[in-house]
Amino acid sequence: MSVTLIGAGPGDADLLTVRAARLLGQADVVVYDRLVDQSVLDLARDDAEMIDVGKTPGRSSSQESINDILVALAATGRSIVRLKGGDPFVFGRGGEEMMALRAAGYACDIVPGLSSSLSGPLAAGIPVTHRGVSRGVTIVTGHLLDGECNSFERLANPDLTLVVLMGVAHRAEIARQLIAGGLHDATPVAVIERAYTSTQRTIRTHLAALADTEIANPAIIVIGAVAALALSRLSAELATASW
Ligand code: SAH
């Protein structure tokens, strides 16, 4: 297999799959994103060529140029690993890269990774579902391709957990729409910044206060009753009826 798309997980290298670690350690070339933790990159061979195609919001290698780089590398016949933060198919545009490679006649394999959408809440002791508290989870992006805010009003459902990726910039509008859609303005919210990295931080708030809460990217926003839970603490608090 000339190109393998690999999910790097949310942060620390020890959250990689065994398969991902093995293939990464064998690759001739590693093409990686901004969100991939240094501890993961350290698993590449010392003589591997490391190519940073990191996309910082506002200053990006375009997706088309990344696709072109991958196709050109595939043509060299070397073993290429394309490392993406979290899982390659959860808002990772891994599908587009795979299609570009296929269209150019190159095989592409894929290795799943732990998505920040499900592991990030866990880093703060939040179960995304919990019997009697949340009967499901919806994972959404905060912003659309054109930079506009996604539609949240129809997603207002007190029985479900909402996990928002890429929601920091539109957090005021997200909260406004969810309250307009019927969620209580005291609905618990937890924000997990840089989950499973050395600078992880959790912020607990509620919907009405989300707009005024300072948050830095990358962060996931968890909205719903489970966001009040902190099961990793010794004195695990169960959601109270205070909201
Ligand atoms: N494929 C990735 C998501 C890519 S979209 C995955 O499955 O996790 C990028 C967004 O993911 C960020 O804006 C942020 O919302 C979220 N994210 C990725 N890694 C994160 C981390 N370690 N901590 C918190 N949020 C993270």
PDB file of all heavy atoms in Angstrom, residues 121-122 124-131 133-134 188-190 192 202 204 222 224-233 235-240 243:
ATOM      1  N   PRO A 121     -14.553  14.545  25.587  1.00  0.00           N
ATOM      2  CA  PRO A 121     -15.401  14.611  26.782  1.00  0.00           C
ATOM      3  C   PRO A 121     -14.875  13.703  27.893  1.00  0.00           C
ATOM      4  O   PRO A 121     -14.852  14.078  29.074  1.00  0.00           O
ATOM      5  CB  PRO A 121     -16.763  14.126  26.272  1.00  0.00           C
ATOM      6  CG  PRO A 121     -16.748  14.428  24.811  1.00  0.00           C
ATOM      7  CD  PRO A 121     -15.326  14.252  24.367  1.00  0.00           C
ATOM      8  N   LEU A 122     -14.412  12.523  27.480  1.00  0.00           N
ATOM      9  CA  LEU A 122     -13.897  11.562  28.451  1.00  0.00           C
ATOM     10  C   LEU A 122     -12.696  12.110  29.229  1.00  0.00           C
ATOM     11  O   LEU A 122     -12.517  11.823  30.415  1.00  0.00           O
ATOM     12  CB  LEU A 122     -13.480  10.334  27.651  1.00  0.00           C
ATOM     13  CG  LEU A 122     -13.519   8.991  28.311  1.00  0.00           C
ATOM     14  CD1 LEU A 122     -14.243   8.020  27.413  1.00  0.00           C
ATOM     15  CD2 LEU A 122     -12.109   8.536  28.549  1.00  0.00           C
ATOM     16  N   ALA A 124     -12.413  14.862  30.362  1.00  0.00           N
ATOM     17  CA  ALA A 124     -12.926  15.682  31.462  1.00  0.00           C
ATOM     18  C   ALA A 124     -13.857  14.875  32.371  1.00  0.00           C
ATOM     19  O   ALA A 124     -14.562  15.437  33.212  1.00  0.00           O
ATOM     20  CB  ALA A 124     -13.674  16.880  30.888  1.00  0.00           C
ATOM     21  N   GLY A 125     -13.884  13.563  32.170  1.00  0.00           N
ATOM     22  CA  GLY A 125     -14.743  12.713  32.999  1.00  0.00           C
ATOM     23  C   GLY A 125     -16.205  12.785  32.606  1.00  0.00           C
ATOM     24  O   GLY A 125     -17.088  12.482  33.406  1.00  0.00           O
ATOM     25  N   ILE A 126     -16.464  13.158  31.356  1.00  0.00           N
ATOM     26  CA  ILE A 126     -17.850  13.281  30.885  1.00  0.00           C
ATOM     27  C   ILE A 126     -18.196  12.098  29.982  1.00  0.00           C
ATOM     28  O   ILE A 126     -17.571  11.921  28.927  1.00  0.00           O
ATOM     29  CB  ILE A 126     -18.046  14.595  30.093  1.00  0.00           C
ATOM     30  CG1 ILE A 126     -17.804  15.793  31.007  1.00  0.00           C
ATOM     31  CG2 ILE A 126     -19.431  14.647  29.467  1.00  0.00           C
ATOM     32  CD1 ILE A 126     -17.735  17.112  30.260  1.00  0.00           C
ATOM     33  N   PRO A 127     -19.182  11.286  30.394  1.00  0.00           N
ATOM     34  CA  PRO A 127     -19.632  10.218  29.502  1.00  0.00           C
ATOM     35  C   PRO A 127     -20.594  10.818  28.475  1.00  0.00           C
ATOM     36  O   PRO A 127     -21.531  11.527  28.860  1.00  0.00           O
ATOM     37  CB  PRO A 127     -20.370   9.263  30.444  1.00  0.00           C
ATOM     38  CG  PRO A 127     -20.809  10.107  31.589  1.00  0.00           C
ATOM     39  CD  PRO A 127     -19.921  11.323  31.659  1.00  0.00           C
ATOM     40  N   VAL A 128     -20.388  10.587  27.192  1.00  0.00           N
ATOM     41  CA  VAL A 128     -21.255  11.251  26.208  1.00  0.00           C
ATOM     42  C   VAL A 128     -22.684  10.726  26.266  1.00  0.00           C
ATOM     43  O   VAL A 128     -23.625  11.440  25.928  1.00  0.00           O
ATOM     44  CB  VAL A 128     -20.704  11.182  24.761  1.00  0.00           C
ATOM     45  CG1 VAL A 128     -19.527  12.126  24.587  1.00  0.00           C
ATOM     46  CG2 VAL A 128     -20.353   9.779  24.354  1.00  0.00           C
ATOM     47  N   THR A 129     -22.848   9.469  26.678  1.00  0.00           N
ATOM     48  CA  THR A 129     -24.189   8.994  26.998  1.00  0.00           C
ATOM     49  C   THR A 129     -24.157   8.482  28.427  1.00  0.00           C
ATOM     50  O   THR A 129     -23.090   8.066  28.915  1.00  0.00           O
ATOM     51  CB  THR A 129     -24.654   7.841  26.079  1.00  0.00           C
ATOM     52  OG1 THR A 129     -23.838   6.692  26.328  1.00  0.00           O
ATOM     53  CG2 THR A 129     -24.574   8.217  24.603  1.00  0.00           C
ATOM     54  N   HIS A 130     -25.290   8.542  29.104  1.00  0.00           N
ATOM     55  CA  HIS A 130     -25.338   8.059  30.489  1.00  0.00           C
ATOM     56  C   HIS A 130     -26.796   7.692  30.769  1.00  0.00           C
ATOM     57  O   HIS A 130     -27.691   8.518  30.562  1.00  0.00           O
ATOM     58  CB  HIS A 130     -24.855   9.164  31.435  1.00  0.00           C
ATOM     59  CG  HIS A 130     -24.535   8.674  32.814  1.00  0.00           C
ATOM     60  ND1 HIS A 130     -23.430   7.911  33.101  1.00  0.00           N
ATOM     61  CD2 HIS A 130     -25.178   8.852  33.989  1.00  0.00           C
ATOM     62  CE1 HIS A 130     -23.396   7.638  34.402  1.00  0.00           C
ATOM     63  NE2 HIS A 130     -24.450   8.189  34.957  1.00  0.00           N
ATOM     64  N   ARG A 131     -26.990   6.460  31.240  1.00  0.00           N
ATOM     65  CA  ARG A 131     -28.355   5.974  31.407  1.00  0.00           C
ATOM     66  C   ARG A 131     -29.167   6.927  32.286  1.00  0.00           C
ATOM     67  O   ARG A 131     -28.717   7.332  33.351  1.00  0.00           O
ATOM     68  CB  ARG A 131     -28.334   4.569  32.023  1.00  0.00           C
ATOM     69  CG  ARG A 131     -29.618   3.787  31.823  1.00  0.00           C
ATOM     70  CD  ARG A 131     -29.335   2.298  31.887  1.00  0.00           C
ATOM     71  NE  ARG A 131     -28.785   1.952  33.191  1.00  0.00           N
ATOM     72  CZ  ARG A 131     -29.507   1.457  34.189  1.00  0.00           C
ATOM     73  NH1 ARG A 131     -30.805   1.252  34.041  1.00  0.00           N
ATOM     74  NH2 ARG A 131     -28.941   1.157  35.328  1.00  0.00           N
ATOM     75  N   VAL A 133     -29.718   9.974  31.778  1.00  0.00           N
ATOM     76  CA  VAL A 133     -29.311  11.379  31.619  1.00  0.00           C
ATOM     77  C   VAL A 133     -29.268  11.774  30.135  1.00  0.00           C
ATOM     78  O   VAL A 133     -29.806  12.802  29.741  1.00  0.00           O
ATOM     79  CB  VAL A 133     -27.927  11.647  32.275  1.00  0.00           C
ATOM     80  CG1 VAL A 133     -27.515  13.114  32.099  1.00  0.00           C
ATOM     81  CG2 VAL A 133     -27.953  11.283  33.759  1.00  0.00           C
ATOM     82  N   SER A 134     -28.614  10.947  29.322  1.00  0.00           N
ATOM     83  CA  SER A 134     -28.530  11.243  27.892  1.00  0.00           C
ATOM     84  C   SER A 134     -28.648   9.946  27.105  1.00  0.00           C
ATOM     85  O   SER A 134     -27.914   8.999  27.348  1.00  0.00           O
ATOM     86  CB  SER A 134     -27.193  11.914  27.567  1.00  0.00           C
ATOM     87  OG  SER A 134     -26.988  11.893  26.171  1.00  0.00           O
ATOM     88  N   PRO A 188     -26.158  22.620  31.141  1.00  0.00           N
ATOM     89  CA  PRO A 188     -24.705  22.547  31.358  1.00  0.00           C
ATOM     90  C   PRO A 188     -23.901  22.485  30.057  1.00  0.00           C
ATOM     91  O   PRO A 188     -24.333  21.864  29.078  1.00  0.00           O
ATOM     92  CB  PRO A 188     -24.531  21.244  32.146  1.00  0.00           C
ATOM     93  CG  PRO A 188     -25.847  20.982  32.774  1.00  0.00           C
ATOM     94  CD  PRO A 188     -26.876  21.515  31.807  1.00  0.00           C
ATOM     95  N   VAL A 189     -22.748  23.146  30.089  1.00  0.00           N
ATOM     96  CA  VAL A 189     -21.820  23.139  28.950  1.00  0.00           C
ATOM     97  C   VAL A 189     -20.423  22.888  29.507  1.00  0.00           C
ATOM     98  O   VAL A 189     -20.043  23.445  30.541  1.00  0.00           O
ATOM     99  CB  VAL A 189     -21.822  24.505  28.213  1.00  0.00           C
ATOM    100  CG1 VAL A 189     -20.757  24.524  27.113  1.00  0.00           C
ATOM    101  CG2 VAL A 189     -23.194  24.811  27.628  1.00  0.00           C
ATOM    102  N   ALA A 190     -19.681  22.026  28.847  1.00  0.00           N
ATOM    103  CA  ALA A 190     -18.261  21.840  29.196  1.00  0.00           C
ATOM    104  C   ALA A 190     -17.442  22.062  27.934  1.00  0.00           C
ATOM    105  O   ALA A 190     -17.836  21.652  26.844  1.00  0.00           O
ATOM    106  CB  ALA A 190     -18.009  20.437  29.743  1.00  0.00           C
ATOM    107  N   ILE A 192     -13.640  21.464  26.428  1.00  0.00           N
ATOM    108  CA  ILE A 192     -12.355  20.793  26.666  1.00  0.00           C
ATOM    109  C   ILE A 192     -11.375  21.284  25.602  1.00  0.00           C
ATOM    110  O   ILE A 192     -11.567  21.041  24.413  1.00  0.00           O
ATOM    111  CB  ILE A 192     -12.478  19.252  26.620  1.00  0.00           C
ATOM    112  CG1 ILE A 192     -13.492  18.782  27.674  1.00  0.00           C
ATOM    113  CG2 ILE A 192     -11.123  18.599  26.915  1.00  0.00           C
ATOM    114  CD1 ILE A 192     -14.850  18.507  27.151  1.00  0.00           C
ATOM    115  N   THR A 202     -10.195  22.224  31.078  1.00  0.00           N
ATOM    116  CA  THR A 202     -11.649  22.075  31.004  1.00  0.00           C
ATOM    117  C   THR A 202     -12.316  23.298  31.598  1.00  0.00           C
ATOM    118  O   THR A 202     -11.894  23.780  32.652  1.00  0.00           O
ATOM    119  CB  THR A 202     -12.126  20.839  31.803  1.00  0.00           C
ATOM    120  OG1 THR A 202     -11.455  19.689  31.311  1.00  0.00           O
ATOM    121  CG2 THR A 202     -13.630  20.633  31.661  1.00  0.00           C
ATOM    122  N   ARG A 204     -16.135  24.717  32.733  1.00  0.00           N
ATOM    123  CA  ARG A 204     -17.551  24.353  32.918  1.00  0.00           C
ATOM    124  C   ARG A 204     -18.367  25.631  32.940  1.00  0.00           C
ATOM    125  O   ARG A 204     -18.027  26.592  33.631  1.00  0.00           O
ATOM    126  CB  ARG A 204     -17.743  23.631  34.248  1.00  0.00           C
ATOM    127  CG  ARG A 204     -16.846  22.428  34.446  1.00  0.00           C
ATOM    128  CD  ARG A 204     -17.474  21.165  33.955  1.00  0.00           C
ATOM    129  NE  ARG A 204     -16.543  20.042  34.128  1.00  0.00           N
ATOM    130  CZ  ARG A 204     -16.880  18.792  33.937  1.00  0.00           C
ATOM    131  NH1 ARG A 204     -18.101  18.481  33.554  1.00  0.00           N
ATOM    132  NH2 ARG A 204     -15.995  17.823  34.090  1.00  0.00           N
ATOM    133  N   VAL A 222     -19.185  20.552  24.757  1.00  0.00           N
ATOM    134  CA  VAL A 222     -20.157  19.516  25.079  1.00  0.00           C
ATOM    135  C   VAL A 222     -21.360  20.199  25.723  1.00  0.00           C
ATOM    136  O   VAL A 222     -21.206  20.923  26.705  1.00  0.00           O
ATOM    137  CB  VAL A 222     -19.575  18.468  26.056  1.00  0.00           C
ATOM    138  CG1 VAL A 222     -20.555  17.325  26.283  1.00  0.00           C
ATOM    139  CG2 VAL A 222     -18.233  17.939  25.543  1.00  0.00           C
ATOM    140  N   GLY A 224     -25.324  19.736  27.225  1.00  0.00           N
ATOM    141  CA  GLY A 224     -26.347  18.797  27.681  1.00  0.00           C
ATOM    142  C   GLY A 224     -26.077  18.390  29.113  1.00  0.00           C
ATOM    143  O   GLY A 224     -25.031  18.726  29.690  1.00  0.00           O
ATOM    144  N   ALA A 225     -27.017  17.634  29.679  1.00  0.00           N
ATOM    145  CA  ALA A 225     -26.944  17.291  31.096  1.00  0.00           C
ATOM    146  C   ALA A 225     -25.630  16.609  31.483  1.00  0.00           C
ATOM    147  O   ALA A 225     -25.091  16.860  32.565  1.00  0.00           O
ATOM    148  CB  ALA A 225     -28.122  16.393  31.475  1.00  0.00           C
ATOM    149  N   VAL A 226     -25.082  15.783  30.598  1.00  0.00           N
ATOM    150  CA  VAL A 226     -23.840  15.075  30.950  1.00  0.00           C
ATOM    151  C   VAL A 226     -22.669  16.032  31.171  1.00  0.00           C
ATOM    152  O   VAL A 226     -21.688  15.676  31.829  1.00  0.00           O
ATOM    153  CB  VAL A 226     -23.418  14.026  29.881  1.00  0.00           C
ATOM    154  CG1 VAL A 226     -24.400  12.857  29.831  1.00  0.00           C
ATOM    155  CG2 VAL A 226     -23.240  14.672  28.516  1.00  0.00           C
ATOM    156  N   ALA A 227     -22.771  17.227  30.623  1.00  0.00           N
ATOM    157  CA  ALA A 227     -21.660  18.191  30.745  1.00  0.00           C
ATOM    158  C   ALA A 227     -21.464  18.640  32.191  1.00  0.00           C
ATOM    159  O   ALA A 227     -20.456  19.267  32.511  1.00  0.00           O
ATOM    160  CB  ALA A 227     -21.882  19.387  29.831  1.00  0.00           C
ATOM    161  N   ALA A 228     -22.412  18.312  33.055  1.00  0.00           N
ATOM    162  CA  ALA A 228     -22.253  18.641  34.485  1.00  0.00           C
ATOM    163  C   ALA A 228     -21.511  17.529  35.226  1.00  0.00           C
ATOM    164  O   ALA A 228     -21.156  17.693  36.390  1.00  0.00           O
ATOM    165  CB  ALA A 228     -23.619  18.861  35.134  1.00  0.00           C
ATOM    166  N   LEU A 229     -21.291  16.406  34.572  1.00  0.00           N
ATOM    167  CA  LEU A 229     -20.637  15.274  35.242  1.00  0.00           C
ATOM    168  C   LEU A 229     -19.114  15.413  35.193  1.00  0.00           C
ATOM    169  O   LEU A 229     -18.559  15.973  34.250  1.00  0.00           O
ATOM    170  CB  LEU A 229     -21.027  13.955  34.564  1.00  0.00           C
ATOM    171  CG  LEU A 229     -22.512  13.617  34.527  1.00  0.00           C
ATOM    172  CD1 LEU A 229     -22.724  12.253  33.872  1.00  0.00           C
ATOM    173  CD2 LEU A 229     -23.106  13.606  35.920  1.00  0.00           C
ATOM    174  N   ALA A 230     -18.483  14.896  36.231  1.00  0.00           N
ATOM    175  CA  ALA A 230     -17.008  14.877  36.268  1.00  0.00           C
ATOM    176  C   ALA A 230     -16.624  13.570  36.925  1.00  0.00           C
ATOM    177  O   ALA A 230     -16.171  13.531  38.060  1.00  0.00           O
ATOM    178  CB  ALA A 230     -16.479  16.072  37.031  1.00  0.00           C
ATOM    179  N   LEU A 231     -16.819  12.468  36.202  1.00  0.00           N
ATOM    180  CA  LEU A 231     -16.678  11.147  36.803  1.00  0.00           C
ATOM    181  C   LEU A 231     -15.239  10.768  37.098  1.00  0.00           C
ATOM    182  O   LEU A 231     -14.991   9.792  37.789  1.00  0.00           O
ATOM    183  CB  LEU A 231     -17.324  10.084  35.896  1.00  0.00           C
ATOM    184  CG  LEU A 231     -18.814  10.313  35.640  1.00  0.00           C
ATOM    185  CD1 LEU A 231     -19.395   9.180  34.814  1.00  0.00           C
ATOM    186  CD2 LEU A 231     -19.590  10.459  36.932  1.00  0.00           C
ATOM    187  N   SER A 232     -14.292  11.542  36.577  1.00  0.00           N
ATOM    188  CA  SER A 232     -12.898  11.200  36.847  1.00  0.00           C
ATOM    189  C   SER A 232     -12.463  11.708  38.219  1.00  0.00           C
ATOM    190  O   SER A 232     -11.458  11.268  38.756  1.00  0.00           O
ATOM    191  CB  SER A 232     -11.995  11.780  35.759  1.00  0.00           C
ATOM    192  OG  SER A 232     -12.297  13.129  35.550  1.00  0.00           O
ATOM    193  N   ARG A 233     -13.236  12.645  38.773  1.00  0.00           N
ATOM    194  CA  ARG A 233     -12.884  13.129  40.111  1.00  0.00           C
ATOM    195  C   ARG A 233     -13.276  12.081  41.130  1.00  0.00           C
ATOM    196  O   ARG A 233     -14.233  11.339  40.948  1.00  0.00           O
ATOM    197  CB  ARG A 233     -13.651  14.421  40.422  1.00  0.00           C
ATOM    198  CG  ARG A 233     -13.167  15.566  39.583  1.00  0.00           C
ATOM    199  CD  ARG A 233     -13.620  16.882  40.195  1.00  0.00           C
ATOM    200  NE  ARG A 233     -13.554  17.926  39.193  1.00  0.00           N
ATOM    201  CZ  ARG A 233     -14.561  18.736  38.897  1.00  0.00           C
ATOM    202  NH1 ARG A 233     -15.697  18.660  39.550  1.00  0.00           N
ATOM    203  NH2 ARG A 233     -14.414  19.647  37.970  1.00  0.00           N
ATOM    204  N   SER A 235     -14.619  12.583  44.004  1.00  0.00           N
ATOM    205  CA  SER A 235     -15.960  12.897  44.490  1.00  0.00           C
ATOM    206  C   SER A 235     -16.872  13.123  43.283  1.00  0.00           C
ATOM    207  O   SER A 235     -17.280  14.235  43.009  1.00  0.00           O
ATOM    208  CB  SER A 235     -15.930  14.152  45.340  1.00  0.00           C
ATOM    209  OG  SER A 235     -15.343  15.204  44.580  1.00  0.00           O
ATOM    210  N   ALA A 236     -17.085  12.048  42.532  1.00  0.00           N
ATOM    211  CA  ALA A 236     -17.872  12.176  41.315  1.00  0.00           C
ATOM    212  C   ALA A 236     -19.242  12.776  41.618  1.00  0.00           C
ATOM    213  O   ALA A 236     -19.977  12.285  42.457  1.00  0.00           O
ATOM    214  CB  ALA A 236     -18.034  10.804  40.688  1.00  0.00           C
ATOM    215  N   GLU A 237     -19.507  13.880  40.911  1.00  0.00           N
ATOM    216  CA  GLU A 237     -20.804  14.516  41.122  1.00  0.00           C
ATOM    217  C   GLU A 237     -21.747  14.014  40.044  1.00  0.00           C
ATOM    218  O   GLU A 237     -21.414  14.024  38.882  1.00  0.00           O
ATOM    219  CB  GLU A 237     -20.696  16.027  40.927  1.00  0.00           C
ATOM    220  CG  GLU A 237     -19.750  16.717  41.856  1.00  0.00           C
ATOM    221  CD  GLU A 237     -19.334  18.072  41.264  1.00  0.00           C
ATOM    222  OE1 GLU A 237     -20.118  18.618  40.468  1.00  0.00           O
ATOM    223  OE2 GLU A 237     -18.244  18.518  41.589  1.00  0.00           O
ATOM    224  N   LEU A 238     -22.935  13.634  40.442  1.00  0.00           N
ATOM    225  CA  LEU A 238     -23.918  13.307  39.431  1.00  0.00           C
ATOM    226  C   LEU A 238     -24.660  14.583  39.089  1.00  0.00           C
ATOM    227  O   LEU A 238     -24.696  15.526  39.865  1.00  0.00           O
ATOM    228  CB  LEU A 238     -24.869  12.231  39.945  1.00  0.00           C
ATOM    229  CG  LEU A 238     -24.282  10.825  39.854  1.00  0.00           C
ATOM    230  CD1 LEU A 238     -25.199   9.814  40.503  1.00  0.00           C
ATOM    231  CD2 LEU A 238     -24.029  10.435  38.403  1.00  0.00           C
ATOM    232  N   ALA A 239     -25.219  14.616  37.895  1.00  0.00           N
ATOM    233  CA  ALA A 239     -25.932  15.831  37.480  1.00  0.00           C
ATOM    234  C   ALA A 239     -27.000  16.150  38.516  1.00  0.00           C
ATOM    235  O   ALA A 239     -27.748  15.275  38.928  1.00  0.00           O
ATOM    236  CB  ALA A 239     -26.573  15.585  36.131  1.00  0.00           C
ATOM    237  N   THR A 240     -27.030  17.382  38.926  1.00  0.00           N
ATOM    238  CA  THR A 240     -28.039  17.750  39.914  1.00  0.00           C
ATOM    239  C   THR A 240     -29.210  18.366  39.171  1.00  0.00           C
ATOM    240  O   THR A 240     -29.124  18.669  37.993  1.00  0.00           O
ATOM    241  CB  THR A 240     -27.474  18.778  40.896  1.00  0.00           C
ATOM    242  OG1 THR A 240     -27.081  19.916  40.131  1.00  0.00           O
ATOM    243  CG2 THR A 240     -26.280  18.227  41.649  1.00  0.00           C
ATOM    244  N   TRP A 243     -30.528  22.747  37.318  1.00  0.00           N
ATOM    245  CA  TRP A 243     -30.848  23.455  36.076  1.00  0.00           C
ATOM    246  C   TRP A 243     -32.215  23.019  35.607  1.00  0.00           C
ATOM    247  O   TRP A 243     -32.720  23.405  34.650  1.00  0.00           O
ATOM    248  CB  TRP A 243     -29.789  23.170  35.010  1.00  0.00           C
ATOM    249  CG  TRP A 243     -29.591  21.728  34.775  1.00  0.00           C
ATOM    250  CD1 TRP A 243     -28.885  20.846  35.524  1.00  0.00           C
ATOM    251  CD2 TRP A 243     -30.175  20.968  33.731  1.00  0.00           C
ATOM    252  NE1 TRP A 243     -28.959  19.611  35.033  1.00  0.00           N
ATOM    253  CE2 TRP A 243     -29.760  19.639  33.922  1.00  0.00           C
ATOM    254  CE3 TRP A 243     -31.000  21.257  32.649  1.00  0.00           C
ATOM    255  CZ2 TRP A 243     -30.169  18.611  33.072  1.00  0.00           C
ATOM    256  CZ3 TRP A 243     -31.382  20.231  31.819  1.00  0.00           C
ATOM    257  CH2 TRP A 243     -30.975  18.913  32.017  1.00  0.00           C
TER     258      TRP A 243
END
